[in-house]
């Protein structure tokens, strides 16, 4: 598709308040002689939103949006992924990856209202997030241009950016420089860079932000009961809570017990292996509980088929293909499968471990009379030999024929 040469007058910039995106305000303004509107998503990260807004305006933005999208994030992005039990490469619960399509969708809505000519974001050229933002923009508003200042600008280092900031009266926050690159939201925190770039090095204690080190955790276990309706958590320890409250509560509880730490080398979409650590206490607790309840309420074929799909769903999310027909179709299948995922799972938190210890449901497929080994057994043992004869038939024949050769 051809790029139009129309002048860019108005740019909507995804803005975090950090150095890169602050420098981007000024740089875009100068380069395009355009008005900059900033967009910042409140996804539950602890930040002084008033200060972020003021900084954007002080740096030259004409308007600064601060958008509380926590509820939509949990309900329409996190919980669907939870219903799938989606983990990228069997470990990463996708906190960062799930947030990107929602941020993009909200930016599209604002862009259309504000009549902007271009989106801009602060992602580098070697990460996943540039892909997630841009694929989502293209899916929802292909007519709006996309700018990626960090891929294009002349600065070769953080020091050069700081120099530019000083020369342009951009406030550089005086906070102690963290050696890590951090992305946080309600579903987890993603931490990379610094010493973590050596995959042989154990993450130092200060690299983790939410969870306690195992030697700081309580000496007694905690038990927590989580209730689900159609695969979605609705109550903790018998108390009905909103989606945000459930996630917050389980993050706090899990963090106290050191639950939810993940250390992995993952494969980025752009072909690079990278070492990242994550903390997702609520994610680990909820997925453990959800899987436990599914084991009771899903029939064997649905459960196994669904599990075989989970990796693909996680991959689609990780690869930026949230707004795709396949992801939507998988959600439809999963929603159907979750009709009977109603009930309660009981989880034990102890010394950084989260263990499923109980499950119950009115929709349970567990039949005590069939399962038991005591005298109340109702299973017809004599139907087993005939079943095994037929089940064995093809392998019996194949082995015999091959042996004869
Ligand atoms: N590797 C994760 C992903 O691609 C997180 C990326 C952002 N991480 C960060 N520390 N800034 O989803």
């Amino acid at each position: 598709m051809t790029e139009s040469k129309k002048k860019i007058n108005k740019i909507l910039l995804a803005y975090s308040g950090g150095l890169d995106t602050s420098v981007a305000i000024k740089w875009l303004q100068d380069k395009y002689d355009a008005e900059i509107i900033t967009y910042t998503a409140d996804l539950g990260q602890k930040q002084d939103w008033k200060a972020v807004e003021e900084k954007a305006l002080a740096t030259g933005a004409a308007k600064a949006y601060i958008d509380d999208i926590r509820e939509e994030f949990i309900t329409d992005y996190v919980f669907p992924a939870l219903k799938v039990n989606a983990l990228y490469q069997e470990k990463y619960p996708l906190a960062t990856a799930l947030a990107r399509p929602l941020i993009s969708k909200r930016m599209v809505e604002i862009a259309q209202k504000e009549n902007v000519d271009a989106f801009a974001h602060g992602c580098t050229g070697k990460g996943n997030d540039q892909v997630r933002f841009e694929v989502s923009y293209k899916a929802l508003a292909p007519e709006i241009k996309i700018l990626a200042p960090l891929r294009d600008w002349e600065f070769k280092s953080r020091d050069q950016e700081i120099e530019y900031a000083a020369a342009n009266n951009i406030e550089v926050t005086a906070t102690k420089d963290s050696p890590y690159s951090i992305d946080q939201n309600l579903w987890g925190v993603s931490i990379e860079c610094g010493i973590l770039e050596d995959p042989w090095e154990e993450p130092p204690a200060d690299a983790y932000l939410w969870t306690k080190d195992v030697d700081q955790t309580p000496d007694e276990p905690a038990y927590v009961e989580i209730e689900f309706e159609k695969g979605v958590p609705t109550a903790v320890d018998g108390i009905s809570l909103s989606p945000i409250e459930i996630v917050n509560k389980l993050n706090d509880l899990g963090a106290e017990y050191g639950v939810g730490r993940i250390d992995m080398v993952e494969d980025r979409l752009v072909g690079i292996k990278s070492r990242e650590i994550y903390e997702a206490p609520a994610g680990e607790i909820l997925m453990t509980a959800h899987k436990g309840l599914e084991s009771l309420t899903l029939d064997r074929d649905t459960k196994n088929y669904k599990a075989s799909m989970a990796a693909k769903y996680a991959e689609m999310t990780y690869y930026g293909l949230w707004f795709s027909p396949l992801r939507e179709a998988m959600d439809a299948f999963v929603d159907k499968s979750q009709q009977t995922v109603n009930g309660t799972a009981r989880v034990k938190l102890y010394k950084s471990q989260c263990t499923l210890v109980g499950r119950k449901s009115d929709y349970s497929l567990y039949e005590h009379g069939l399962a038991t080994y005591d005298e109340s057994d109702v299973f017809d043992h004599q139907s087993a030999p005939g079943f095994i004869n037929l089940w064995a038939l093809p392998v019996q024949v194949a082995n015999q024929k091959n042996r004869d050769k």
Side-chain angles (χ1 to χ4, degrees):
M1 275 171 260
T2 51
E3 293 269 297
S4 84
K5 287 271 174 294
K6 191 171 150 276
K7 166 154 175 15
I8 293 172
N9 292 314
K10 228 177 185 186
I11 300 169
L12 181 62
L13 168 68
Y15 180 69
S16 71
L19 179 67
D20 288 338
T21 50
S22 295
V23 166
I25 293 178
K26 212 43 175 217
W27 188 87
L28 287 167
Q29 218 168 30
D30 287 352
K31 172 146 175 143
Y32 293 97
D33 184 25
E35 179 179 317
I36 313 296
I37 300 175
T38 60
Y39 174 85
T40 308
D42 173 359
L43 288 156
Q45 60 287 44
K46 304 265 174 296
Q47 241 169 305
D48 179 349
W49 298 118
K50 194 79 214 142
V52 173
E53 183 187 347
E54 278 164 8
K55 183 169 178 187
L57 296 173
T59 309
K63 201 165 176 179
Y65 281 87
I66 307 286
D67 196 19
D68 179 356
I69 49 175
R70 292 172 303 157
E71 171 115 32
E72 189 175 356
F73 178 52
I74 299 297
T75 306
D76 294 347
Y77 294 75
V78 168
F79 283 176
L82 168 65
K83 286 189 264 187
V84 175
N85 306 313
L87 295 172
Y88 181 64
Q89 296 189 328
E90 294 173 0
K91 292 180 92 152
Y92 167 41
L94 300 160
T96 300
L98 285 163
R100 299 319 187 211
L102 172 56
I103 293 171
S104 308
K105 175 176 153 269
R106 288 291 298 150
M107 286 182 73
V108 165
E109 287 161 18
I110 289 168
Q112 285 163 346
K113 191 174 85 185
E114 294 280 357
N115 238 314
V116 313
D117 307 298
F119 297 113
H121 61 71
C123 306
T124 71
K126 56 198 282 187
N128 296 313
D129 284 331
Q130 54 172 348
V131 181
R132 296 172 184 147
F133 280 124
E134 295 184 31
V135 169
S136 301
Y137 297 148
K138 284 175 186 291
L140 303 177
E143 68 285 1
I144 299 177
K145 287 186 188 153
I146 299 169
L147 305 171
L150 272 78
R151 288 198 303 241
D152 298 340
W153 67 27
E154 58 279 18
F155 314 121
K156 295 269 173 292
S157 69
R158 201 177 158 83
D159 285 343
Q160 288 180 14
E161 280 183 59
I162 291 173
E163 234 169 80
Y164 177 90
N168 287 279
N169 295 319
I170 300 167
E171 177 202 341
V172 180
T173 350
T175 50
K176 186 159 63 65
D177 229 2
S178 161
Y180 307 112
S181 158
I182 296 159
D183 181 61
Q184 305 195 55
N185 62 48
L186 282 168
W187 197 230
V189 49
S190 310
I191 306 154
E192 59 183 351
C193 301
I195 185 77
L196 301 172
E197 286 181 354
D198 181 347
W200 176 249
E201 284 294 329
E202 181 178 359
D206 76 348
Y208 290 102
L209 301 181
W210 292 4
T211 52
K212 280 198 171 158
D213 233 45
V214 65
D215 51 11
Q216 314 268 316
T217 58
D219 288 324
E220 295 299 320
Y223 288 87
V224 56
E225 292 185 10
I226 298 153
E227 228 171 285
F228 289 84
E229 281 169 30
K230 299 197 164 120
V232 169
T234 54
V236 175
D237 289 332
I239 298 164
S240 296
L241 297 171
S242 74
I244 295 175
E245 288 169 334
I246 287 178
V247 173
N248 272 329
K249 186 178 173 75
L250 296 177
N251 272 333
D252 290 347
L253 186 67
E256 181 66 21
Y257 286 81
V259 163
R261 290 186 173 188
I262 298 146
D263 174 352
M264 70 189 284
V265 171
E266 71 193 42
D267 290 278
R268 287 191 198 155
L269 176 56
V270 294
I272 300 169
K273 280 197 186 294
S274 71
R275 199 279 191 92
E276 186 136 6
I277 62 173
Y278 300 99
E279 294 170 275
E284 182 170 350
I285 296 170
L286 285 170
M287 238 178 250
T288 303
H290 178 254
K291 282 183 198 162
L293 188 59
E294 281 190 323
S295 69
L296 197 66
T297 55
L298 292 187
D299 66 283
R300 177 179 64 194
D301 286 326
T302 304
K303 189 176 75 169
N304 292 348
Y305 185 75
K306 182 172 170 284
S308 74
M309 209 193 66
K312 184 68 190 174
Y313 190 101
E315 221 171 75
M316 296 292 286
T317 305
Y318 189 90
Y319 292 173
L321 300 173
W322 181 265
F323 295 112
S324 61
L326 178 55
R327 197 273 307 161
E328 278 181 34
M330 287 192 286
D331 271 339
F333 163 76
V334 170
D335 280 342
K336 174 71 187 164
S337 77
Q338 299 296 292
Q339 297 290 314
T340 57
V341 185
N342 308 304
T344 306
R346 196 154 73 101
V347 160
K348 176 181 176 176
L349 311 178
Y350 185 59
K351 296 291 172 201
S352 83
Q353 297 292 89
C354 168
T355 318
L356 184 89
V357 293
R359 51 311 248 165
K360 64 178 180 186
S361 168
D362 291 343
Y363 293 77
S364 174
L365 303 178
Y366 183 86
E367 193 54 64
H368 185 266
L370 290 175
T372 185
Y373 285 94
D374 70 21
E375 61 276 13
S376 59
D377 184 6
V378 298
F379 182 77
D380 175 10
H381 292 242
Q382 288 321 310
S383 53
F387 165 74
I388 296 166
N389 284 342
L390 298 188
W391 186 245
L393 195 55
V395 294
Q396 190 179 329
V397 170
N399 277 277
Q400 219 143 32
K401 296 271 179 197
N402 293 341
R403 194 166 332 129
D404 293 346
K405 280 195 190 109

